[in-house]
Amino acid sequence: MSAELPQDRPRRLSANAGLGDRLFTLGARSSGAVVLLIMLAVGGFLAVQASQALRVAGWSFLTVQQWDPDGHRGRFGIAAVLVGTLLIGALAVLLAVPLALGMALYIAEYAPPRARRTLITLVDLMAAVPSVVYGLWGFFFLEQRMTGLARWISTWFGWIPLFKVDGADPHDPLAPMAAYTSSTFIAGTVVALMITPIMCSVMREVFGQAPAGEREAAYALGSTRWGMIRSVVLPYGRGGIIGGTMLGLGRALGETITVYMIISMVFAIQPHILQSGTSTVAALIALHFGDSTSFGLSALMAAGLVLFLMTLAVNFAASAVVARSRSGAST
C-alpha cells in the first residue's frame, strides 16, 4: 500500500519587522490615539461647561431666537445664529467650489511647470494669510464695492425670497445703500475667498495622483485633454473634491473674527442674504465672551458645543462619501 500523503496546508508567512518599523507603527498609532483623545477632551469639556445652561433651556435652546441668558433664564437659544451660520457657510462653499476646482484643474493639468510651481506657492501663501487681514479687507474695501451688486441682484431677483431686502426700494435711485451692507452676502463672499486656497490645495493633490496609465489610454483612444479630464481625472478625484469642500465648510462654519468684523449682529432669523444684519455662533461667542456672567458663559459653551457637534457630523458624513470613491479608498 502506498503511504498516505500529508495534507497540503498553507504556509504561514510572518514578516520580522525591524526596530525602525515597530517604532514608526507605535508612533503612528499613538498620534492617532492622541488626536481622538484631544477631540473627546474638547467635546467633554464643552459638555460639562454647558450642562448648567442646557438644564435650564432644554430643547428650546435650539428653537428660541432670543439671546439674553442673564435676563431671561429659560428663554434663550441659538435658532437665529444657527441659521446665520449655515447660510454664511453654504454661500461661502457655493462661491468657493467653482473657483477652487478651476484653480486646481489649471494648476494640475494646464499650467506649464514653471508657472505651476509659482501658482502652488501663491495658493499656499493665500491659505496662510491671517483671518483678521481678510476681515479688514472685506470691511474697508470689498463691502463698499459689493453693495451695488447686491442692489442690482435685489432689483432684478427680489421676487425670490432669498434675495429680497425689507425696507429698501431698489427702484429708487436716492435710496440709501445701508440696507445692503453688513449682510450674509458680503460675509459669505469674504469667507469664500478664505477657504478657496485650502480647498484648491486638497483638490490639486488628488488630481495629480490620477493614474498615468488611464490618462495615456484616454489619449490613445483619441480623447482631447478636456475629455481625458472629464473621463479620468474628475471621476478619480471625486473624493478630493468632496473632502476639500467639507474641509472648507468646516472652516467657514467656525470662522470668527472675519465674520464678526463684517456683519451686523441681529438675534432673529434673517433668511434674506442681501439684507443688512445676520449672526453666527462663532461671532456670538466672540461678542459676549468678555462680559458674560457664569451662567452666560455656560450658555456660550452650549452654543460652542452645538457648533462642535455640527462640524463633526459634517466631516463624518464627508468621510463616508470620500471612502467610497476611488481616490478616498486608495488612501
Side-chain angles (χ1 to χ4, degrees), residues 56-274:
V56 174
W59 290 106
S60 65
F61 185 73
L62 299 176
T63 58
V64 174
Q65 303 179 38
Q66 176 184 348
W67 183 266
D68 190 10
D70 296 322
H72 299 83
R73 291 204 172 194
R75 293 301 301 169
F76 61 93
I78 59 169
V81 296
L82 200 59
V83 171
T85 301
L86 294 175
L87 283 176
I88 291 179
L91 179 62
V93 169
L94 186 65
L95 296 176
V97 166
L99 184 59
L101 183 60
M103 291 171 58
L105 285 176
Y106 177 76
I107 293 174
E109 303 297 334
Y110 289 96
R114 183 175 298 179
R116 181 181 297 120
R117 292 191 294 269
T118 303
L119 291 173
I120 291 174
T121 302
L122 291 176
V123 170
D124 293 340
L125 286 176
M126 287 181 62
V129 174
S131 300
V132 66
V133 176
Y134 281 102
L136 291 171
W137 176 76
F139 181 76
F140 289 105
F141 178 82
L142 188 65
E143 186 174 43
Q144 302 174 8
R145 290 159 177 80
M146 289 194 66
T147 52
L149 176 61
R151 181 173 179 171
W152 181 86
I153 296 175
S154 177
T155 301
W156 295 102
F157 301 98
W159 50 273
I160 302 176
L162 195 66
F163 300 134
K164 182 181 178 182
V165 177
D166 295 329
D169 184 6
H171 302 285
D172 183 6
L174 300 179
M177 303 294 288
Y180 304 97
T181 60
S182 304
S183 63
T184 300
F185 178 57
I186 297 174
T189 302
V190 178
V191 175
L193 296 178
M194 293 179 59
I195 66 177
T196 295
I198 302 173
M199 297 167 61
C200 176
S201 297
V202 174
M203 296 177 188
R204 172 179 52 81
E205 289 292 336
V206 177
F207 292 159
Q209 297 174 7
E214 295 184 20
R215 292 171 180 264
E216 298 301 327
Y219 285 132
L221 292 174
S223 176
T224 62
R225 178 175 294 187
W226 169 241
M228 182 274 296
I229 292 173
R230 191 175 64 241
S231 60
V232 177
V233 176
L234 289 179
Y236 179 82
R238 178 173 173 244
I241 297 173
I242 298 174
T245 301
M246 293 301 104
L247 182 63
L249 178 59
R251 171 90 186 266
L253 292 176
E255 183 53 45
T256 305
I257 188 63
T258 300
V259 176
Y260 178 68
M261 294 175 66
I262 294 174
I263 66 173
S264 176
M265 293 287 291
V266 292
F267 295 102
I269 294 179
Q270 207 279 86
H272 310 307
I273 64 173
L274 302 178

Side-chain angles (χ1 to χ4, degrees), residues 284-315:
L284 168 70
I285 297 174
L287 177 64
H288 291 287
F289 187 82
D291 57 357
S292 294
T293 63
S294 59
F295 185 80
L297 286 176
S298 179
L300 292 177
M301 292 295 179
L305 177 63
V306 173
L307 181 62
F308 177 76
L309 294 177
M310 184 171 60
T311 306
L312 281 183
V314 168
N315 284 279

